[in-house]
Amino acid sequence: MTRPDNQHDRLVRDNLLDLEEHQLVRIETVREDQRQVWVLTKRGHGEAKKLLEPKGIRISVLREKKYDPVTGKLLGTSYDDHAAAVTSTAAELHRAGIGHQLGFQTEIGHRLGSSFVQRADLVVRAQEAGVPVMLLEIDRRSEDAHDLVVKLRRYWEWGRLLPRDADKQIADRVRSRPDAIEHVDHEKRLWRRFYPPTGREGLVPLAFVFADTTEAKVDNTVAVLEEAGRRYWAPRRYETLYPKAVTAKDYGQAVPVVVTTLEQLTEHGADAAVWRRLGRKGEQKLTAALDNPDGDALYRDQEARADAADKQRRAAQREAERPVCKRCGRKFTDQRWEETTAHRTAWNAGDASLCGTCRADDVARKEAAAEAARLQAAAPAEPEDDQEADTGRGWFRRRT
């Protein structure tokens, strides 16, 4: 994989000529600026697969020679410019330290449920650069903007698929209610069988790199992507008890989409602020464009703050509603308040306008009065003075 702008790289040219001598590569075509586009032969493709596949690296599909059945002319047009743009994009990413030379894959298929295969022009894995995985579509403005929206939709649909061996209960639930997939963790979806976790919310990020076009056409295409593709890239509002306090966005079901041009990558470098995230204004560095500062982390912080504020508000409101004793003026304790309001205890709470202390004093007085009455009723009656005197005199007379 070489950079097309290295026109005077003698070492690369000599190596290609040597590979051509061994029938491993061939010239696909010669561009208008006299640069040659080289591709692997069938033999070279087989050798490359032996070399790379044990390391888990897949190479692009074989570019077979095709001839016009009538004229016998070699058919190879419309492939070279696009292939050169793909190679140049990979080279710029690699030059900026985003991905190593064997960390790029081209023409990677993503099979949808309808058996349609959406092929990514380029897949880069650069964990060390903060981009564990990213799909790239290189567009030389040979496609209508709405065709790019269709591609975006297909990647979004692919990210919502389940593997064939998914849990039966989950599969049945998703089959009966399509939006149920949104409640299935990404670890259980098909895309996680192919790619590592992105380290961010949402599906696998997608980049559109425009080449050989004007700034106006790029702006028009981005406008169409933002408007017609909003369902696929745009975040949602979190379902929360505090909608006014939580402004964070839920990116969990969205495809992060960034756009740039090959000219910007070439001029400024892929590690510069040349990436624009759909839904945002201005250009950022790649990792900043892929990050979600208004996403999950902000949601957790805002939710915690809102919950604490709500608890404080409810505590203040409860304190303002706390009853006051009509006798001593003190506020009810939680226990006394519950005694006077709970159905199971209110019938035995006594005067509901008294606090626990005053209620206890009343109970104590009543109990003391009741005890005194009980003791008085149980004591023997004392004889009257006249009766005792008469009894004494009579007894004396009987003795005498």
Side-chain angles (χ1 to χ4, degrees), residues 211-390:
D212 303 326
T213 186
T214 64
E215 184 177 347
K217 288 184 178 180
V218 172
D219 290 341
N220 292 336
T221 302
V222 171
V224 173
L225 282 170
E226 286 188 326
E227 182 63 28
R230 180 171 297 276
R231 178 183 179 186
Y232 315 118
W233 63 260
R236 308 174 183 179
R237 293 296 300 270
Y238 272 102
E239 295 182 1
T240 175
L241 297 175
Y242 316 106
K244 293 183 178 180
V246 176
T247 61
K249 304 295 179 61
D250 182 3
Y251 291 87
Q253 307 304 319
V255 176
V257 180
V258 294
V259 298
T260 189
T261 66
L262 182 55
E263 289 73 20
Q264 286 180 297
L265 296 179
T266 304
E267 181 180 357
H268 305 289
D271 56 344
V274 296
W275 303 87
R276 176 185 168 188
R277 175 79 173 263
L278 291 192
R280 300 179 188 173
K281 294 182 178 180
E283 295 172 330
Q284 301 172 284
K285 292 187 175 182
L286 181 56
T287 52
L290 294 176
D291 288 340
N292 302 312
D294 58 343
D296 186 59
L298 178 62
Y299 167 72
R300 291 195 300 269
D301 180 66
Q302 289 182 332
E303 183 84 356
R305 290 173 179 269
D307 187 62
D310 184 63
K311 288 181 179 178
Q312 185 177 6
R313 180 191 60 78
R314 285 188 280 112
Q317 181 179 357
R318 176 179 172 81
E319 199 62 29
E321 297 173 352
R322 186 181 296 275
V324 177
C325 180
K326 70 176 184 180
R327 180 179 299 170
C328 67
R330 287 179 295 188
K331 290 187 176 182
F332 281 26
T333 62
D334 289 341
Q335 180 180 358
R336 176 58 179 168
W337 194 359
E338 182 178 0
E339 286 178 355
T340 59
T341 55
H343 178 71
R344 65 181 184 279
T345 57
W347 64 274
N348 197 33
D351 189 348
S353 64
L354 299 180
C355 66
T357 302
C358 293
R359 164 65 176 165
D361 291 343
D362 284 354
V363 171
R365 283 195 297 269
K366 290 181 180 179
E367 290 179 350
E371 180 66 15
R374 185 185 66 79
L375 292 176
Q376 184 177 4
E382 295 182 1
E384 296 180 1
D385 293 342
D386 293 344
Q387 291 180 349
E388 289 182 354
D390 293 344

Side-chain angles (χ1 to χ4, degrees), residues 112-134:
L112 299 174
S114 60
S115 297
F116 180 87
V117 178
Q118 177 62 53
R119 295 191 178 276
D121 292 330
L122 185 66
V123 176
V124 59
R125 302 190 191 203
Q127 179 72 47
E128 69 287 347
V131 188
V133 60
M134 185 170 66

Side-chain angles (χ1 to χ4, degrees), residues 56 66 78 85 282 329 391:
K66 294 183 179 180
S78 76
T391 302

Side-chain angles (χ1 to χ4, degrees), residues 58-61 105-112 116-123 135 137 155 158 190 194-195:
R58 288 184 288 179
I59 61 177
S60 60
V61 296
Q105 299 169 281
T106 59
E107 296 292 325
I108 301 303
H110 302 82
R111 188 175 298 276
L112 299 174
F116 180 87
V117 178
Q118 177 62 53
R119 295 191 178 276
D121 292 330
L122 185 66
V123 176
L135 313 180
E137 287 289 337
Y155 285 119
W158 184 76
L190 176 64
F194 293 88
Y195 299 122

Side-chain angles (χ1 to χ4, degrees), residues 58-133:
R58 288 184 288 179
I59 61 177
S60 60
V61 296
L62 176 63
R63 179 64 172 172
E64 296 277 9
K65 284 186 176 181
K66 294 183 179 180
Y67 299 89
D68 188 285
V70 178
T71 64
K73 182 180 179 181
L74 178 65
L75 301 175
T77 58
S78 76
Y79 181 89
D80 52 341
D81 288 336
H82 182 264
V86 172
T87 303
S88 295
T89 300
E92 293 301 336
L93 290 169
H94 176 254
R95 187 173 67 169
I98 303 174
H100 53 85
Q101 281 189 337
L102 297 181
F104 297 92
Q105 299 169 281
T106 59
E107 296 292 325
I108 301 303
H110 302 82
R111 188 175 298 276
L112 299 174
S114 60
S115 297
F116 180 87
V117 178
Q118 177 62 53
R119 295 191 178 276
D121 292 330
L122 185 66
V123 176
V124 59
R125 302 190 191 203
Q127 179 72 47
E128 69 287 347
V131 188
V133 60

